Amino acid sequence: MRVLVRRCWGPRPVCGGPGGRPSPQWRALAGLGGSPAGEDGRGVRVREKPPWRVLFFGTDQFAREALQALHAARENKEEELIEKLDVVTVPSPSPKGLPVKQYAVQSHLPVYEWPDVGSGEYDVGVVASFGRLLSEALILKFPYGILNVHPSCLPRWRGPAPIIHTVLHGDTVTGVTIMQIKPKRFDVGPILKQETVPVPPKSTAKELETVLSRLGANMLISVLKNLPESLSKGRQQPTEGVTYAPKISAGTRCIKWEEQTSEQIFRLYRAIGTIIPLQTLWMDNTIKLLDLVEVNSSVLADPKLRGQRVTPGSVVYHKQSQILLVCCKDGWIGVRSVMLKKTLTATDFYNGYLHPWYQKDSQPQPRQCRFQTLRLPIKKKQGKKIVAMQQCIK
């Protein structure tokens, strides 16, 4: 059994570089200056092997999975991988805080709110869905730097919303990258570990997040078990294949009936629709589309539907399947429920709005009964609300 003697983490013999100091190779890969000899600037030598002292930075459910894995490793006294685990998160309007804070409080882990990072001694930092640029001065406080658990195969989908953009663009393969943080820029540091997985057909961003969060947590533990070796084998990201995953704006949820195909609308729904409802205009009123479904070929073959003249946005109620059929650029999508003042089923919407509209005109034209694209003005407050919602799906 190993006995750890605390004495302010003063100098202790380690191996790896000259005089028992770790190799500075990871600092060069990460584009960092500072002390190259494995010291934290105060003459304190670093450990060459576990157990590690870890400071975790995170916010959402994806990050919570990584934190949970670190906590489980700390509780596993036989493996001796994590000795100390503290948490940094960001302020939240909710009294309970974001998922990472909730878990940390429940698990009795020390929690700091950014920009406060405490004053403890740590070996390595870990970031997952944190959304804040970390300074070089902060990174250099960690002898082994700061690792980032990123849910994409970098350099594809650098940025704050990689899972959303994976679904939105119909990627068939994705993955997780464990990389090192570089100062001043997001997601450009050297890759320590990367694994790919197929994207399940028709999966939502939330469903994909669950898959990738578990994969990322397992990969993180694997890297920490061989941290010095993983750092020494880090590789720079390719210069080709770089794409960006910016935060979703408020206007993204507004369906453009004349421009978007049914496939594009369903991708949008799977990417953000379960968190941020898609919306459109009905008779100058904003209406949210809550439950979208693909339209069965037998429905499309209905003579009543095929014989009508329609334009993108036209709305038809299909009684047999009890859905609203909405025409888009290349076909139809189905809507089971909407929100207009309150939540309505397709049948409720027909009885309350469509049927009375038809009764007002003795010769109504289906192409006149339509949803219209909602053009939102740019508002700072609205943008902040969307950003807050996206903390649920990085």
PDB file of all heavy atoms in Angstrom, residues 235-270:
ATOM      1  N   ARG A 235      -0.214  14.644 -31.179  1.00  0.00           N
ATOM      2  CA  ARG A 235       0.046  15.034 -32.573  1.00  0.00           C
ATOM      3  C   ARG A 235      -0.767  16.268 -32.928  1.00  0.00           C
ATOM      4  O   ARG A 235      -1.883  16.461 -32.452  1.00  0.00           O
ATOM      5  CB  ARG A 235      -0.304  13.890 -33.525  1.00  0.00           C
ATOM      6  CG  ARG A 235      -1.742  13.403 -33.433  1.00  0.00           C
ATOM      7  CD  ARG A 235      -2.002  12.219 -34.332  1.00  0.00           C
ATOM      8  NE  ARG A 235      -3.333  11.661 -34.145  1.00  0.00           N
ATOM      9  CZ  ARG A 235      -4.429  12.078 -34.779  1.00  0.00           C
ATOM     10  NH1 ARG A 235      -4.338  13.076 -35.647  1.00  0.00           N
ATOM     11  NH2 ARG A 235      -5.597  11.505 -34.560  1.00  0.00           N
ATOM     12  N   GLN A 236      -0.198  17.097 -33.759  1.00  0.00           N
ATOM     13  CA  GLN A 236      -0.894  18.301 -34.175  1.00  0.00           C
ATOM     14  C   GLN A 236      -2.115  17.943 -35.035  1.00  0.00           C
ATOM     15  O   GLN A 236      -2.128  16.930 -35.734  1.00  0.00           O
ATOM     16  CB  GLN A 236       0.040  19.210 -34.984  1.00  0.00           C
ATOM     17  CG  GLN A 236       1.236  19.727 -34.193  1.00  0.00           C
ATOM     18  CD  GLN A 236       0.850  20.731 -33.123  1.00  0.00           C
ATOM     19  OE1 GLN A 236      -0.315  21.075 -32.977  1.00  0.00           O
ATOM     20  NE2 GLN A 236       1.827  21.184 -32.361  1.00  0.00           N
ATOM     21  N   GLN A 237      -3.127  18.784 -34.997  1.00  0.00           N
ATOM     22  CA  GLN A 237      -4.311  18.544 -35.810  1.00  0.00           C
ATOM     23  C   GLN A 237      -4.009  18.778 -37.290  1.00  0.00           C
ATOM     24  O   GLN A 237      -3.200  19.643 -37.632  1.00  0.00           O
ATOM     25  CB  GLN A 237      -5.442  19.485 -35.378  1.00  0.00           C
ATOM     26  CG  GLN A 237      -5.966  19.209 -33.986  1.00  0.00           C
ATOM     27  CD  GLN A 237      -7.186  20.064 -33.665  1.00  0.00           C
ATOM     28  OE1 GLN A 237      -7.952  20.440 -34.555  1.00  0.00           O
ATOM     29  NE2 GLN A 237      -7.383  20.354 -32.385  1.00  0.00           N
ATOM     30  N   PRO A 238      -4.650  18.022 -38.172  1.00  0.00           N
ATOM     31  CA  PRO A 238      -4.473  18.252 -39.610  1.00  0.00           C
ATOM     32  C   PRO A 238      -4.929  19.652 -40.004  1.00  0.00           C
ATOM     33  O   PRO A 238      -5.824  20.220 -39.375  1.00  0.00           O
ATOM     34  CB  PRO A 238      -5.372  17.182 -40.258  1.00  0.00           C
ATOM     35  CG  PRO A 238      -5.609  16.167 -39.190  1.00  0.00           C
ATOM     36  CD  PRO A 238      -5.556  16.900 -37.886  1.00  0.00           C
ATOM     37  N   THR A 239      -4.303  20.186 -41.023  1.00  0.00           N
ATOM     38  CA  THR A 239      -4.708  21.501 -41.524  1.00  0.00           C
ATOM     39  C   THR A 239      -5.879  21.394 -42.497  1.00  0.00           C
ATOM     40  O   THR A 239      -6.541  22.389 -42.789  1.00  0.00           O
ATOM     41  CB  THR A 239      -3.531  22.199 -42.219  1.00  0.00           C
ATOM     42  OG1 THR A 239      -3.037  21.345 -43.264  1.00  0.00           O
ATOM     43  CG2 THR A 239      -2.406  22.474 -41.228  1.00  0.00           C
ATOM     44  N   GLU A 240      -6.137  20.176 -42.996  1.00  0.00           N
ATOM     45  CA  GLU A 240      -7.259  19.960 -43.910  1.00  0.00           C
ATOM     46  C   GLU A 240      -8.471  19.421 -43.146  1.00  0.00           C
ATOM     47  O   GLU A 240      -8.329  18.781 -42.110  1.00  0.00           O
ATOM     48  CB  GLU A 240      -6.867  18.968 -45.011  1.00  0.00           C
ATOM     49  CG  GLU A 240      -5.739  19.467 -45.904  1.00  0.00           C
ATOM     50  CD  GLU A 240      -5.385  18.463 -46.980  1.00  0.00           C
ATOM     51  OE1 GLU A 240      -5.914  17.333 -46.928  1.00  0.00           O
ATOM     52  OE2 GLU A 240      -4.585  18.807 -47.864  1.00  0.00           O
ATOM     53  N   GLY A 241      -9.650  19.686 -43.677  1.00  0.00           N
ATOM     54  CA  GLY A 241     -10.870  19.168 -43.080  1.00  0.00           C
ATOM     55  C   GLY A 241     -11.389  19.972 -41.902  1.00  0.00           C
ATOM     56  O   GLY A 241     -12.209  19.478 -41.114  1.00  0.00           O
ATOM     57  N   VAL A 242     -10.934  21.211 -41.765  1.00  0.00           N
ATOM     58  CA  VAL A 242     -11.376  22.050 -40.648  1.00  0.00           C
ATOM     59  C   VAL A 242     -12.779  22.593 -40.921  1.00  0.00           C
ATOM     60  O   VAL A 242     -13.032  23.173 -41.977  1.00  0.00           O
ATOM     61  CB  VAL A 242     -10.403  23.224 -40.429  1.00  0.00           C
ATOM     62  CG1 VAL A 242     -10.927  24.139 -39.312  1.00  0.00           C
ATOM     63  CG2 VAL A 242      -9.003  22.711 -40.093  1.00  0.00           C
ATOM     64  N   THR A 243     -13.702  22.373 -39.992  1.00  0.00           N
ATOM     65  CA  THR A 243     -15.040  22.979 -40.058  1.00  0.00           C
ATOM     66  C   THR A 243     -15.364  23.551 -38.688  1.00  0.00           C
ATOM     67  O   THR A 243     -14.762  23.164 -37.678  1.00  0.00           O
ATOM     68  CB  THR A 243     -16.118  21.961 -40.460  1.00  0.00           C
ATOM     69  OG1 THR A 243     -16.121  20.877 -39.505  1.00  0.00           O
ATOM     70  CG2 THR A 243     -15.881  21.406 -41.853  1.00  0.00           C
ATOM     71  N   TYR A 244     -16.336  24.454 -38.649  1.00  0.00           N
ATOM     72  CA  TYR A 244     -16.655  25.151 -37.414  1.00  0.00           C
ATOM     73  C   TYR A 244     -18.111  24.922 -37.005  1.00  0.00           C
ATOM     74  O   TYR A 244     -18.989  24.797 -37.863  1.00  0.00           O
ATOM     75  CB  TYR A 244     -16.364  26.644 -37.563  1.00  0.00           C
ATOM     76  CG  TYR A 244     -14.887  26.918 -37.764  1.00  0.00           C
ATOM     77  CD1 TYR A 244     -14.355  27.028 -39.046  1.00  0.00           C
ATOM     78  CD2 TYR A 244     -14.020  27.022 -36.678  1.00  0.00           C
ATOM     79  CE1 TYR A 244     -12.997  27.244 -39.244  1.00  0.00           C
ATOM     80  CE2 TYR A 244     -12.665  27.235 -36.862  1.00  0.00           C
ATOM     81  CZ  TYR A 244     -12.162  27.348 -38.142  1.00  0.00           C
ATOM     82  OH  TYR A 244     -10.815  27.554 -38.327  1.00  0.00           O
ATOM     83  N   ALA A 245     -18.326  24.865 -35.703  1.00  0.00           N
ATOM     84  CA  ALA A 245     -19.652  24.603 -35.140  1.00  0.00           C
ATOM     85  C   ALA A 245     -20.046  25.763 -34.235  1.00  0.00           C
ATOM     86  O   ALA A 245     -19.962  25.672 -33.005  1.00  0.00           O
ATOM     87  CB  ALA A 245     -19.641  23.290 -34.351  1.00  0.00           C
ATOM     88  N   PRO A 246     -20.483  26.875 -34.827  1.00  0.00           N
ATOM     89  CA  PRO A 246     -20.862  28.037 -34.007  1.00  0.00           C
ATOM     90  C   PRO A 246     -22.142  27.795 -33.229  1.00  0.00           C
ATOM     91  O   PRO A 246     -22.897  26.868 -33.517  1.00  0.00           O
ATOM     92  CB  PRO A 246     -21.053  29.148 -35.049  1.00  0.00           C
ATOM     93  CG  PRO A 246     -21.449  28.416 -36.296  1.00  0.00           C
ATOM     94  CD  PRO A 246     -20.677  27.124 -36.264  1.00  0.00           C
ATOM     95  N   LYS A 247     -22.377  28.639 -32.247  1.00  0.00           N
ATOM     96  CA  LYS A 247     -23.623  28.560 -31.486  1.00  0.00           C
ATOM     97  C   LYS A 247     -24.815  28.806 -32.416  1.00  0.00           C
ATOM     98  O   LYS A 247     -24.721  29.554 -33.381  1.00  0.00           O
ATOM     99  CB  LYS A 247     -23.625  29.604 -30.368  1.00  0.00           C
ATOM    100  CG  LYS A 247     -22.582  29.316 -29.291  1.00  0.00           C
ATOM    101  CD  LYS A 247     -22.510  30.452 -28.292  1.00  0.00           C
ATOM    102  CE  LYS A 247     -21.432  30.162 -27.243  1.00  0.00           C
ATOM    103  NZ  LYS A 247     -21.257  31.301 -26.314  1.00  0.00           N
ATOM    104  N   ILE A 248     -25.915  28.157 -32.104  1.00  0.00           N
ATOM    105  CA  ILE A 248     -27.124  28.305 -32.910  1.00  0.00           C
ATOM    106  C   ILE A 248     -27.800  29.631 -32.573  1.00  0.00           C
ATOM    107  O   ILE A 248     -28.033  29.947 -31.409  1.00  0.00           O
ATOM    108  CB  ILE A 248     -28.086  27.129 -32.634  1.00  0.00           C
ATOM    109  CG1 ILE A 248     -27.435  25.808 -33.040  1.00  0.00           C
ATOM    110  CG2 ILE A 248     -29.401  27.321 -33.369  1.00  0.00           C
ATOM    111  CD1 ILE A 248     -27.075  25.695 -34.491  1.00  0.00           C
ATOM    112  N   SER A 249     -28.115  30.395 -33.603  1.00  0.00           N
ATOM    113  CA  SER A 249     -28.795  31.674 -33.397  1.00  0.00           C
ATOM    114  C   SER A 249     -30.299  31.453 -33.286  1.00  0.00           C
ATOM    115  O   SER A 249     -30.820  30.393 -33.650  1.00  0.00           O
ATOM    116  CB  SER A 249     -28.492  32.622 -34.557  1.00  0.00           C
ATOM    117  OG  SER A 249     -29.085  32.139 -35.754  1.00  0.00           O
ATOM    118  N   ALA A 250     -31.001  32.470 -32.806  1.00  0.00           N
ATOM    119  CA  ALA A 250     -32.450  32.374 -32.654  1.00  0.00           C
ATOM    120  C   ALA A 250     -33.137  32.142 -33.995  1.00  0.00           C
ATOM    121  O   ALA A 250     -34.134  31.420 -34.080  1.00  0.00           O
ATOM    122  CB  ALA A 250     -32.996  33.645 -31.996  1.00  0.00           C
ATOM    123  N   GLY A 251     -32.589  32.734 -35.057  1.00  0.00           N
ATOM    124  CA  GLY A 251     -33.205  32.602 -36.373  1.00  0.00           C
ATOM    125  C   GLY A 251     -33.115  31.209 -36.960  1.00  0.00           C
ATOM    126  O   GLY A 251     -33.905  30.853 -37.849  1.00  0.00           O
ATOM    127  N   THR A 252     -32.189  30.386 -36.466  1.00  0.00           N
ATOM    128  CA  THR A 252     -32.011  29.036 -37.012  1.00  0.00           C
ATOM    129  C   THR A 252     -33.249  28.183 -36.814  1.00  0.00           C
ATOM    130  O   THR A 252     -33.559  27.314 -37.629  1.00  0.00           O
ATOM    131  CB  THR A 252     -30.802  28.353 -36.357  1.00  0.00           C
ATOM    132  OG1 THR A 252     -29.645  29.170 -36.527  1.00  0.00           O
ATOM    133  CG2 THR A 252     -30.534  26.978 -36.974  1.00  0.00           C
ATOM    134  N   ARG A 253     -33.997  28.427 -35.746  1.00  0.00           N
ATOM    135  CA  ARG A 253     -35.173  27.589 -35.456  1.00  0.00           C
ATOM    136  C   ARG A 253     -36.386  27.964 -36.295  1.00  0.00           C
ATOM    137  O   ARG A 253     -37.435  27.314 -36.197  1.00  0.00           O
ATOM    138  CB  ARG A 253     -35.523  27.681 -33.976  1.00  0.00           C
ATOM    139  CG  ARG A 253     -35.810  29.073 -33.477  1.00  0.00           C
ATOM    140  CD  ARG A 253     -36.179  29.067 -32.010  1.00  0.00           C
ATOM    141  NE  ARG A 253     -36.225  30.412 -31.465  1.00  0.00           N
ATOM    142  CZ  ARG A 253     -36.708  30.704 -30.267  1.00  0.00           C
ATOM    143  NH1 ARG A 253     -37.188  29.739 -29.511  1.00  0.00           N
ATOM    144  NH2 ARG A 253     -36.703  31.933 -29.821  1.00  0.00           N
ATOM    145  N   CYS A 254     -36.281  29.032 -37.086  1.00  0.00           N
ATOM    146  CA  CYS A 254     -37.388  29.457 -37.943  1.00  0.00           C
ATOM    147  C   CYS A 254     -37.322  28.711 -39.275  1.00  0.00           C
ATOM    148  O   CYS A 254     -36.363  28.875 -40.034  1.00  0.00           O
ATOM    149  CB  CYS A 254     -37.331  30.963 -38.183  1.00  0.00           C
ATOM    150  SG  CYS A 254     -37.452  31.936 -36.674  1.00  0.00           S
ATOM    151  N   ILE A 255     -38.319  27.884 -39.553  1.00  0.00           N
ATOM    152  CA  ILE A 255     -38.314  27.073 -40.777  1.00  0.00           C
ATOM    153  C   ILE A 255     -38.528  27.964 -41.999  1.00  0.00           C
ATOM    154  O   ILE A 255     -39.425  28.811 -42.015  1.00  0.00           O
ATOM    155  CB  ILE A 255     -39.402  25.994 -40.716  1.00  0.00           C
ATOM    156  CG1 ILE A 255     -39.127  25.033 -39.548  1.00  0.00           C
ATOM    157  CG2 ILE A 255     -39.472  25.216 -42.033  1.00  0.00           C
ATOM    158  CD1 ILE A 255     -40.179  23.967 -39.370  1.00  0.00           C
ATOM    159  N   LYS A 256     -37.707  27.754 -43.006  1.00  0.00           N
ATOM    160  CA  LYS A 256     -37.814  28.486 -44.273  1.00  0.00           C
ATOM    161  C   LYS A 256     -38.453  27.542 -45.297  1.00  0.00           C
ATOM    162  O   LYS A 256     -37.764  26.756 -45.957  1.00  0.00           O
ATOM    163  CB  LYS A 256     -36.433  28.956 -44.727  1.00  0.00           C
ATOM    164  CG  LYS A 256     -35.730  29.862 -43.710  1.00  0.00           C
ATOM    165  CD  LYS A 256     -34.323  30.188 -44.151  1.00  0.00           C
ATOM    166  CE  LYS A 256     -33.632  31.088 -43.143  1.00  0.00           C
ATOM    167  NZ  LYS A 256     -33.452  30.455 -41.818  1.00  0.00           N
ATOM    168  N   TRP A 257     -39.764  27.599 -45.402  1.00  0.00           N
ATOM    169  CA  TRP A 257     -40.527  26.628 -46.182  1.00  0.00           C
ATOM    170  C   TRP A 257     -40.137  26.627 -47.660  1.00  0.00           C
ATOM    171  O   TRP A 257     -40.106  25.567 -48.291  1.00  0.00           O
ATOM    172  CB  TRP A 257     -42.017  26.895 -46.044  1.00  0.00           C
ATOM    173  CG  TRP A 257     -42.491  26.837 -44.623  1.00  0.00           C
ATOM    174  CD1 TRP A 257     -42.859  27.880 -43.820  1.00  0.00           C
ATOM    175  CD2 TRP A 257     -42.619  25.652 -43.813  1.00  0.00           C
ATOM    176  NE1 TRP A 257     -43.208  27.432 -42.571  1.00  0.00           N
ATOM    177  CE2 TRP A 257     -43.071  26.065 -42.541  1.00  0.00           C
ATOM    178  CE3 TRP A 257     -42.402  24.292 -44.034  1.00  0.00           C
ATOM    179  CZ2 TRP A 257     -43.315  25.173 -41.497  1.00  0.00           C
ATOM    180  CZ3 TRP A 257     -42.646  23.399 -43.010  1.00  0.00           C
ATOM    181  CH2 TRP A 257     -43.094  23.833 -41.760  1.00  0.00           C
ATOM    182  N   GLU A 258     -39.828  27.783 -48.202  1.00  0.00           N
ATOM    183  CA  GLU A 258     -39.480  27.862 -49.626  1.00  0.00           C
ATOM    184  C   GLU A 258     -38.071  27.380 -49.913  1.00  0.00           C
ATOM    185  O   GLU A 258     -37.753  26.990 -51.030  1.00  0.00           O
ATOM    186  CB  GLU A 258     -39.613  29.315 -50.127  1.00  0.00           C
ATOM    187  CG  GLU A 258     -41.018  29.890 -50.045  1.00  0.00           C
ATOM    188  CD  GLU A 258     -41.323  30.478 -48.672  1.00  0.00           C
ATOM    189  OE1 GLU A 258     -40.429  30.427 -47.791  1.00  0.00           O
ATOM    190  OE2 GLU A 258     -42.441  30.977 -48.486  1.00  0.00           O
ATOM    191  N   GLU A 259     -37.196  27.372 -48.892  1.00  0.00           N
ATOM    192  CA  GLU A 259     -35.776  27.081 -49.109  1.00  0.00           C
ATOM    193  C   GLU A 259     -35.344  25.710 -48.607  1.00  0.00           C
ATOM    194  O   GLU A 259     -34.396  25.126 -49.145  1.00  0.00           O
ATOM    195  CB  GLU A 259     -34.920  28.154 -48.418  1.00  0.00           C
ATOM    196  CG  GLU A 259     -35.199  29.574 -48.888  1.00  0.00           C
ATOM    197  CD  GLU A 259     -34.459  30.605 -48.050  1.00  0.00           C
ATOM    198  OE1 GLU A 259     -33.484  30.221 -47.367  1.00  0.00           O
ATOM    199  OE2 GLU A 259     -34.857  31.791 -48.068  1.00  0.00           O
ATOM    200  N   GLN A 260     -35.995  25.201 -47.586  1.00  0.00           N
ATOM    201  CA  GLN A 260     -35.526  23.968 -46.954  1.00  0.00           C
ATOM    202  C   GLN A 260     -36.307  22.748 -47.436  1.00  0.00           C
ATOM    203  O   GLN A 260     -37.532  22.782 -47.554  1.00  0.00           O
ATOM    204  CB  GLN A 260     -35.633  24.091 -45.425  1.00  0.00           C
ATOM    205  CG  GLN A 260     -34.673  25.123 -44.852  1.00  0.00           C
ATOM    206  CD  GLN A 260     -34.849  25.295 -43.353  1.00  0.00           C
ATOM    207  OE1 GLN A 260     -35.958  25.530 -42.874  1.00  0.00           O
ATOM    208  NE2 GLN A 260     -33.761  25.189 -42.603  1.00  0.00           N
ATOM    209  N   THR A 261     -35.549  21.669 -47.668  1.00  0.00           N
ATOM    210  CA  THR A 261     -36.170  20.401 -48.044  1.00  0.00           C
ATOM    211  C   THR A 261     -36.702  19.697 -46.798  1.00  0.00           C
ATOM    212  O   THR A 261     -36.371  20.078 -45.668  1.00  0.00           O
ATOM    213  CB  THR A 261     -35.160  19.489 -48.742  1.00  0.00           C
ATOM    214  OG1 THR A 261     -34.129  19.136 -47.795  1.00  0.00           O
ATOM    215  CG2 THR A 261     -34.521  20.179 -49.948  1.00  0.00           C
ATOM    216  N   SER A 262     -37.485  18.654 -47.010  1.00  0.00           N
ATOM    217  CA  SER A 262     -38.004  17.896 -45.866  1.00  0.00           C
ATOM    218  C   SER A 262     -36.859  17.295 -45.053  1.00  0.00           C
ATOM    219  O   SER A 262     -36.900  17.281 -43.819  1.00  0.00           O
ATOM    220  CB  SER A 262     -38.958  16.805 -46.346  1.00  0.00           C
ATOM    221  OG  SER A 262     -38.316  15.929 -47.255  1.00  0.00           O
ATOM    222  N   GLU A 263     -35.812  16.818 -45.726  1.00  0.00           N
ATOM    223  CA  GLU A 263     -34.662  16.243 -45.021  1.00  0.00           C
ATOM    224  C   GLU A 263     -33.965  17.291 -44.170  1.00  0.00           C
ATOM    225  O   GLU A 263     -33.574  17.023 -43.024  1.00  0.00           O
ATOM    226  CB  GLU A 263     -33.678  15.638 -46.025  1.00  0.00           C
ATOM    227  CG  GLU A 263     -32.402  15.075 -45.408  1.00  0.00           C
ATOM    228  CD  GLU A 263     -32.643  13.957 -44.411  1.00  0.00           C
ATOM    229  OE1 GLU A 263     -33.684  13.268 -44.527  1.00  0.00           O
ATOM    230  OE2 GLU A 263     -31.797  13.768 -43.513  1.00  0.00           O
ATOM    231  N   GLN A 264     -33.796  18.483 -44.695  1.00  0.00           N
ATOM    232  CA  GLN A 264     -33.149  19.552 -43.937  1.00  0.00           C
ATOM    233  C   GLN A 264     -33.979  19.957 -42.724  1.00  0.00           C
ATOM    234  O   GLN A 264     -33.433  20.225 -41.643  1.00  0.00           O
ATOM    235  CB  GLN A 264     -32.910  20.763 -44.845  1.00  0.00           C
ATOM    236  CG  GLN A 264     -31.831  20.545 -45.882  1.00  0.00           C
ATOM    237  CD  GLN A 264     -31.750  21.673 -46.891  1.00  0.00           C
ATOM    238  OE1 GLN A 264     -32.760  22.319 -47.217  1.00  0.00           O
ATOM    239  NE2 GLN A 264     -30.561  21.935 -47.403  1.00  0.00           N
ATOM    240  N   ILE A 265     -35.289  19.981 -42.884  1.00  0.00           N
ATOM    241  CA  ILE A 265     -36.160  20.338 -41.757  1.00  0.00           C
ATOM    242  C   ILE A 265     -36.103  19.266 -40.670  1.00  0.00           C
ATOM    243  O   ILE A 265     -36.041  19.582 -39.472  1.00  0.00           O
ATOM    244  CB  ILE A 265     -37.604  20.557 -42.241  1.00  0.00           C
ATOM    245  CG1 ILE A 265     -37.670  21.795 -43.143  1.00  0.00           C
ATOM    246  CG2 ILE A 265     -38.562  20.720 -41.053  1.00  0.00           C
ATOM    247  CD1 ILE A 265     -39.003  21.992 -43.843  1.00  0.00           C
ATOM    248  N   PHE A 266     -36.098  17.996 -41.063  1.00  0.00           N
ATOM    249  CA  PHE A 266     -36.021  16.927 -40.065  1.00  0.00           C
ATOM    250  C   PHE A 266     -34.656  16.912 -39.363  1.00  0.00           C
ATOM    251  O   PHE A 266     -34.578  16.632 -38.167  1.00  0.00           O
ATOM    252  CB  PHE A 266     -36.315  15.570 -40.709  1.00  0.00           C
ATOM    253  CG  PHE A 266     -37.777  15.312 -40.917  1.00  0.00           C
ATOM    254  CD1 PHE A 266     -38.300  15.093 -42.185  1.00  0.00           C
ATOM    255  CD2 PHE A 266     -38.658  15.298 -39.840  1.00  0.00           C
ATOM    256  CE1 PHE A 266     -39.648  14.871 -42.378  1.00  0.00           C
ATOM    257  CE2 PHE A 266     -40.017  15.072 -40.015  1.00  0.00           C
ATOM    258  CZ  PHE A 266     -40.510  14.863 -41.291  1.00  0.00           C
ATOM    259  N   ARG A 267     -33.595  17.215 -40.093  1.00  0.00           N
ATOM    260  CA  ARG A 267     -32.276  17.320 -39.447  1.00  0.00           C
ATOM    261  C   ARG A 267     -32.285  18.447 -38.418  1.00  0.00           C
ATOM    262  O   ARG A 267     -31.741  18.303 -37.320  1.00  0.00           O
ATOM    263  CB  ARG A 267     -31.190  17.572 -40.488  1.00  0.00           C
ATOM    264  CG  ARG A 267     -30.819  16.368 -41.323  1.00  0.00           C
ATOM    265  CD  ARG A 267     -29.735  16.775 -42.304  1.00  0.00           C
ATOM    266  NE  ARG A 267     -29.422  15.739 -43.272  1.00  0.00           N
ATOM    267  CZ  ARG A 267     -28.616  15.916 -44.307  1.00  0.00           C
ATOM    268  NH1 ARG A 267     -28.052  17.100 -44.514  1.00  0.00           N
ATOM    269  NH2 ARG A 267     -28.381  14.925 -45.147  1.00  0.00           N
ATOM    270  N   LEU A 268     -32.876  19.572 -38.803  1.00  0.00           N
ATOM    271  CA  LEU A 268     -32.961  20.698 -37.879  1.00  0.00           C
ATOM    272  C   LEU A 268     -33.755  20.317 -36.637  1.00  0.00           C
ATOM    273  O   LEU A 268     -33.373  20.653 -35.506  1.00  0.00           O
ATOM    274  CB  LEU A 268     -33.619  21.885 -38.595  1.00  0.00           C
ATOM    275  CG  LEU A 268     -33.792  23.176 -37.785  1.00  0.00           C
ATOM    276  CD1 LEU A 268     -32.437  23.737 -37.365  1.00  0.00           C
ATOM    277  CD2 LEU A 268     -34.576  24.210 -38.588  1.00  0.00           C
ATOM    278  N   TYR A 269     -34.846  19.604 -36.840  1.00  0.00           N
ATOM    279  CA  TYR A 269     -35.681  19.163 -35.716  1.00  0.00           C
ATOM    280  C   TYR A 269     -34.904  18.215 -34.797  1.00  0.00           C
ATOM    281  O   TYR A 269     -34.948  18.353 -33.576  1.00  0.00           O
ATOM    282  CB  TYR A 269     -36.929  18.477 -36.257  1.00  0.00           C
ATOM    283  CG  TYR A 269     -37.807  17.854 -35.191  1.00  0.00           C
ATOM    284  CD1 TYR A 269     -38.470  18.642 -34.257  1.00  0.00           C
ATOM    285  CD2 TYR A 269     -37.978  16.463 -35.131  1.00  0.00           C
ATOM    286  CE1 TYR A 269     -39.281  18.079 -33.282  1.00  0.00           C
ATOM    287  CE2 TYR A 269     -38.785  15.897 -34.161  1.00  0.00           C
ATOM    288  CZ  TYR A 269     -39.423  16.708 -33.240  1.00  0.00           C
ATOM    289  OH  TYR A 269     -40.224  16.140 -32.269  1.00  0.00           O
ATOM    290  N   ARG A 270     -34.173  17.272 -35.390  1.00  0.00           N
ATOM    291  CA  ARG A 270     -33.399  16.332 -34.570  1.00  0.00           C
ATOM    292  C   ARG A 270     -32.221  17.019 -33.880  1.00  0.00           C
ATOM    293  O   ARG A 270     -31.785  16.595 -32.808  1.00  0.00           O
ATOM    294  CB  ARG A 270     -32.910  15.169 -35.421  1.00  0.00           C
ATOM    295  CG  ARG A 270     -34.031  14.248 -35.895  1.00  0.00           C
ATOM    296  CD  ARG A 270     -33.483  12.947 -36.463  1.00  0.00           C
ATOM    297  NE  ARG A 270     -32.753  13.134 -37.696  1.00  0.00           N
ATOM    298  CZ  ARG A 270     -33.275  13.025 -38.912  1.00  0.00           C
ATOM    299  NH1 ARG A 270     -34.566  12.733 -39.048  1.00  0.00           N
ATOM    300  NH2 ARG A 270     -32.537  13.185 -39.990  1.00  0.00           N
TER     301      ARG A 270
END
